[in-house]
Every structure is written in structure tokens, then in C-alpha cells.
Amino acid sequence: MSAKPFASSGDLTAKEQTLEVLADGVYALTAEGDPNVGAIEGEDFLVCFEALATPVAAREWLARLREHTDKPIKYLVLSHYHAVRVLGASAFEAEEIIAHDNTRALVAERGKEDWESEFGRMPRLFTEPDSIPGLTWPTLTFSDRLTIPLGGNRGDLELLHCGRGHTEGDIVAWLPQQKILFAGDLVEAQAALYTGDAFHREWSSSTLDAVAALEAEALIGGRGAVAGGRAAVDAAIGQTRHFLDVMIREVGAVQQRGGTLKEAFDAAHAALVDQYGQWPIFEHCLPFDVSRLWDELSGIERPVIWTGERDREVWDRLQS
């Protein structure tokens, strides 16, 4: 038996949601370390960012949003393919569901397995799971950049692929006129990283360099509070980079001396826990993070597909 409840299965406490208006027509909903979502008003339409884990959960967010705007939802933007970000998409009734080319391929390759995995890890996020009609399929994809003119004096919304990171299909939503960035899970603000599908070395270097080069003045990460002001934005990017760099250093050192995966996990945990151990989902994520990084440093280019069975095997091996 595991000494700790599996992943986030023991986290049954409801989180307080905070809706912030970051600029005229720019909204962010944060929830004490649960997945963040957002919305941007065009002149006569809405762009929503992320979909939450079920249609029922998404409708609760949309009810909050409808207190501020009744514009129709034209676009739903998905930062990547993970189930807790996408399976609520049907509630939005968007004209187009936008994601990266690689995200669509990942849904086809491993979307069903990821759904099973994330439901087992984080059951509280799946409010009324029977409301999910099936996998979420993007209807519009792109490789590098897609521009959405917002109309009037609202400027443009730029959807950008900054490189591989949290997954191989991450995108960010950038408002250059307002200098506001929806970063998805490429950046977390005072929340631990999940890197089980990551490309750690690229993420910690060129991908985060590209995110930082935007010079955002407000940043909404995948989890955690909104980072307001350049100092807070830089701190969030720096925390994300530091978490990755420490993991790469510790796991790499154990691997180079011929150690075991369990020794690598223990070393990474010891190096990170004092700074990050009290942040949301740290204990949940780290076994999966270290397992993927071990594979990556061993030359396994693409992440192995997570399943419910594999999740439990890794958890019992590293976290028991």
C-alpha cells in the first residue's frame, strides 16, 4: 500500500475560485492551484481559453463569465491536449476549437488513455464525468502562429507555439496591445510543475526564452495566481525554469553515476521540497515528472503513454 494517497485522489476539498478582470474584456478565473481558464472579448464575439475537465464544470465557469458579457463564443483555444483542459469543450458551443497541429495528433494517439489517467489522478476535477460526450477534437490547427483580429480598438490575439515544453503541442495566447499572456502550463505561478509529457531541456531553455521575450506585464499560468507586473511575470517564468533545471541536474547526476530511478526521485525530491513542497500538486506530480525525465535523459525522445495501470506502477515504485 502507498504511504500517501494516490496522486490527487485524496484532495477532496473545494477550491475558492477568483474571477479577475485584467483589462477591458480580458478575464481570468483562478482557483487555488486548480486549472486556470480565461476569456477575451472581441468586438462582437468571445475567445475562451481552456475548457476544464467536464461540460458541467465548464458551465459553472461560463455562468460566472456571463455576469460580464453575453457575446457569443466564436473560438475556444486549447493550450494542449490534457483531459482536464479539454473534455469540457462541448459546453462552449464554439464555432471553432483551436489547437496546435501536434495537439490534434496527440488526441488521436493517446487522448483516450490520458482521459483514463487524469480521471484516476484527479477525480475531484471531473464534476459529473458522465456529461463528457467523448474526446475533444480541434477543428482548426496551426503550426507556428495564428492571429485572431479582435475588431474595434481591441487589437489582435496572437496564438503562438513557442516550442516543445509541457507537451509537444503547447500554445500560448498573447495580447500584444494589452501585454497580457495566457501561458497555459508552460508557466506556473506558485504551483508545482507537471512534466510527465514534457521535453525538459527544450522547455527550460529555448521555449521559456521565447515566452520571456514577449515581455508580458500580466501572465496567467496553467495553475496558480495571476502574475501582475513585470517583476511577478519574471518570477513565475524564473520559478518554472528553476524547477526544471534542478530536476535535470539531480536526475542527470544519479543517472550518470549508474543509480536507480528511485534514487533519482529521492534526490530530486530532496532538492525541491523546501522551496516547492507546499505548493499545489507537488507530491502528486513529482513521481511522474522524474519518470519522464529519466526516460528523456535515457534517449527516449517522446513520452511514453500514461495509462491508469502505468500511473499506479510508477506511484507505488517511487512514492510508497
Side-chain angles (χ1 to χ4, degrees):
M1 295 291 292
S2 295
K4 299 175 182 177
F6 172 66
S8 287
S9 62
D11 178 7
L12 304 177
T13 304
K15 304 298 188 283
E16 182 178 355
Q17 296 182 335
T18 301
L19 177 59
E20 297 181 54
V21 182
L22 305 179
D24 180 28
V26 182
Y27 308 94
L29 187 76
T30 62
E32 298 183 310
D34 276 358
N36 295 337
V37 292
I40 301 105
E41 289 189 44
E43 187 174 19
D44 56 6
F45 63 90
L46 276 172
V47 182
C48 288
F49 189 75
E50 311 286 42
L52 296 175
T54 71
V56 170
R59 290 187 193 105
E60 292 174 358
W61 148 233
L62 291 172
R64 298 281 302 273
L65 181 62
R66 289 308 184 198
E67 296 173 4
H68 296 267
T69 175
D70 61 359
K71 293 176 182 177
I73 299 169
K74 187 172 185 179
Y75 302 107
L76 172 62
V77 177
L78 305 176
S79 68
H80 61 286
Y81 84 100
H82 285 154
V84 295
R85 304 290 181 183
V86 306
L87 291 180
S90 62
F92 292 79
E93 300 181 343
E95 292 182 27
E96 298 279 5
I97 300 174
I98 305 176
H100 191 265
D101 294 337
N102 290 342
T103 291
R104 195 182 202 289
L106 287 165
V107 172
E109 178 187 51
R110 58 185 71 193
K112 183 178 179 181
E113 291 83 356
D114 183 72
W115 179 353
E116 173 197 3
S117 168
E118 295 205 28
F119 180 64
R121 294 185 194 181
M122 297 172 280
R124 181 178 52 79
L125 299 182
F126 286 80
T127 308
E128 296 188 31
D130 290 344
S131 67
I132 302 169
L135 293 174
T136 296
W137 294 97
T139 61
L140 175 62
T141 65
F142 66 98
S143 58
D144 297 313
R145 177 190 297 261
L146 189 151
T147 300
I148 299 174
L150 296 174
N153 62 355
R154 295 178 180 275
D156 293 334
L157 176 65
E158 300 282 350
L159 305 180
L160 308 171
H161 178 60
C162 294
R164 298 185 303 180
H166 175 72
T167 72
E168 57 193 311
D170 296 280
I171 60 174
V172 303
W174 170 231
L175 290 162
Q177 181 170 296
Q178 299 87 348
K179 301 193 76 67
I180 296 172
L181 180 67
F182 290 86
D185 279 321
L186 285 178
V187 179
E188 310 289 11
Q190 298 187 13
L193 305 188
Y194 174 65
T195 73
D197 286 320
F199 297 78
H200 296 77
R201 291 170 292 188
E202 187 173 334
W203 185 0
S204 69
S205 56
S206 58
T207 299
L208 283 180
D209 288 347
V211 173
L214 295 172
E215 298 185 342
E217 294 179 1
L219 181 149
I220 305 91
R223 295 173 184 263
V226 174
R230 283 294 305 281
V233 170
D234 290 346
I237 295 170
Q239 170 240 304
T240 302
R241 196 191 302 268
H242 180 257
F243 194 106
L244 293 166
D245 287 344
V246 171
M247 283 183 57
I248 293 167
R249 182 191 73 211
E250 296 296 330
V251 174
V254 171
Q255 194 172 89
Q256 288 170 15
R257 65 173 170 79
T260 66
L261 176 62
K262 182 63 165 69
E263 289 170 339
F265 172 79
D266 290 342
H269 190 282
L272 292 166
V273 69
D274 286 348
Q275 184 167 349
Y276 302 109
Q278 300 306 309
W279 289 7
I281 66 172
F282 174 79
E283 297 291 351
H284 166 162
C285 291
L286 198 62
F288 310 115
D289 295 354
V290 171
S291 180
R292 165 54 190 158
L293 179 55
W294 183 271
D295 284 352
E296 183 181 351
L297 297 177
S298 301
I300 298 173
E301 171 65 11
R302 298 187 67 243
V304 178
I305 295 174
W306 292 101
T307 64
E309 182 180 1
R310 181 168 178 247
D311 288 353
R312 294 281 182 170
E313 178 185 341
V314 168
W315 183 267
D316 288 342
R317 185 177 179 186
L318 299 183
Q319 195 69 297
S320 58

